[in-house]
Amino acid sequence: MRLCSALICLAFALTAQPCFATERLNVVASFSILADFAHQVGGDKVEITSLVEPDSDVHVYTPSPHDARDVGLAKLVIINGLGLEGWMPRLLQASGSKARVVTASDGITPLKRGADADPHAWQSVKNAMIYVRNIRAAFEAADPADAAAFKANAERYLAALEALDREVRADVEKIPPARRKVISTHNAFGYFADAYGIQFIAPLGVSTQTEPSARDLAEIVGQIKQAQIPAVFLENFNDDRLIGRVASETGTKVGGTLYSDALSDENGPAPTYIDMVRHNINTLTSALAP
Ligand code: ZN
């Protein structure tokens, strides 16, 4: 409980009623998946803004003046870290923010891609559980009065994630081992591959910033033919033309759309993280299982 706004206090002065109101913890998340984690843990005790919107690309993002205002007002800014949000330091500086920056991926074991870490750690559900614990700890530190609510929400959500992780493992078992390999647009599923044993090959690297060369494409086409990869997949925020070309040059079927770096909007198939993981594994098993 905090002293409420001047307006309500004026009402207090006029009516002599006790003047307290709960003020929600003001949180900014860099992208939609983190915003969902924050929402699951924070419930109605937090006010959450996602900078990068659903179905949008967090790798290449140009913050707006509106974003700078949101970050300036936030008490906590939740980022993924691992080099995902290259645009964030400048935004924090431009906003004059005093917010505590919470790196949700702290404590995961990073996968290396050359010299860099692969930032897509949330694609392993066990890693997502680490994200959730970090967010809970940050909420409790920023708003100790609501610690009991954060604990209850986090425990309920972690149990659901634990069940989700088992569900994904059971679904992968339905796919014959020789068919557990796919093509997706950019290299967003390294942690998923590592955790669940489906191999992903991607024409783009771990970032969407670089265009593949003709040689990269020819290499992918060769790999698909040689490895007899059963299906290629689109991603929800990337240009479909690349995968379309790969599919037509190899005669491989398009297995559907995977959600990698962004949720869908409310009306789409992946408005929450749990929906996203479930949608992805269902899309993979429908294309790959016999
Ligand atoms: Zn990505």
Side-chain angles (χ1 to χ4, degrees):
M1 300 279 269
R2 290 183 193 87
L3 273 177
C4 52
S5 72
L7 191 65
I8 304 170
C9 285
L10 179 65
F12 166 59
L14 295 174
T15 62
Q17 292 300 309
C19 177
F20 287 98
T22 41
E23 193 179 291
R24 304 206 291 174
L25 181 65
N26 193 337
V27 176
V28 163
S30 59
F31 72 116
S32 51
I33 292 169
L34 298 183
D36 180 45
F37 293 153
H39 181 74
Q40 301 296 337
V41 177
D44 60 3
K45 309 292 183 197
V46 296
E47 183 76 47
I48 301 151
T49 306
S50 178
L51 297 177
V52 180
E53 299 203 340
D55 293 314
S56 303
D57 188 347
V58 59
H59 295 280
V60 282
Y61 180 67
T62 308
S64 67
H66 194 264
D67 291 337
R69 204 203 59 183
D70 287 341
V71 168
L73 293 171
K75 279 199 95 174
L76 291 178
V77 173
I78 304 174
I79 63 167
N80 180 75
L82 301 170
L84 182 70
E85 303 98 338
W87 40 270
M88 184 61 89
R90 198 198 266 173
L91 174 60
L92 284 168
Q93 201 184 22
S95 69
S97 172
K98 302 258 191 307
R100 202 190 134 210
V101 178
V102 181
T103 304
S105 69
D106 265 354
I108 66 110
T109 306
L111 290 177
K112 289 287 176 191
R113 301 272 178 194
D116 298 325
D118 177 347
H120 306 89
W122 61 86
Q123 288 293 352
S124 144
V125 179
K126 293 280 187 201
N127 281 346
M129 294 172 73
I130 296 176
Y131 281 46
V132 167
R133 291 192 189 99
N134 287 335
I135 290 169
R136 175 192 158 189
F139 284 2
E140 287 179 1
D143 177 12
D146 289 319
F150 299 141
K151 179 173 190 270
N153 292 344
E155 282 177 358
R156 192 174 50 233
Y157 188 52
L158 287 167
L161 291 177
E162 187 84 56
L164 180 68
D165 184 69
R166 285 196 299 270
E167 192 182 317
V168 174
R169 285 171 204 283
D171 282 346
V172 171
E173 286 297 314
K174 295 176 193 158
I175 306 169
R179 289 175 63 84
R180 292 179 194 166
K181 49 195 174 187
V182 301
I183 304 284
S184 66
T185 316
H186 86 300
N187 220 335
F189 292 95
Y191 292 88
F192 185 93
D194 199 52
Y196 306 113
I198 294 182
Q199 190 194 345
F200 281 76
I201 299 170
L204 299 182
V206 284
S207 178
T208 53
Q209 273 164 321
T210 45
E211 287 281 305
S213 65
R215 201 173 140 186
D216 294 338
L217 261 185
E219 205 172 294
I220 289 282
V221 166
Q223 265 178 303
I224 294 177
K225 287 180 174 164
Q226 200 189 1
Q228 298 181 323
I229 288 171
V232 299
F233 292 87
L234 308 173
E235 283 175 28
N236 60 318
F237 66 90
N238 272 326
D239 191 339
D240 293 349
R241 278 174 299 182
L242 178 61
I243 285 295
R245 240 182 96 185
V246 170
S248 72
E249 282 188 36
T250 55
T252 311
K253 76 167 168 176
V254 177
T257 298
L258 300 177
Y259 284 74
S260 53
D261 297 10
L263 301 177
S264 70
D265 66 21
E266 280 170 36
N267 304 315
T272 69
Y273 175 80
I274 288 180
D275 292 331
M276 176 189 88
V277 173
R278 215 167 255 155
H279 168 85
N280 285 348
I281 191 62
N282 288 342
T283 303
L284 288 166
T285 46
S286 349
L288 301 176

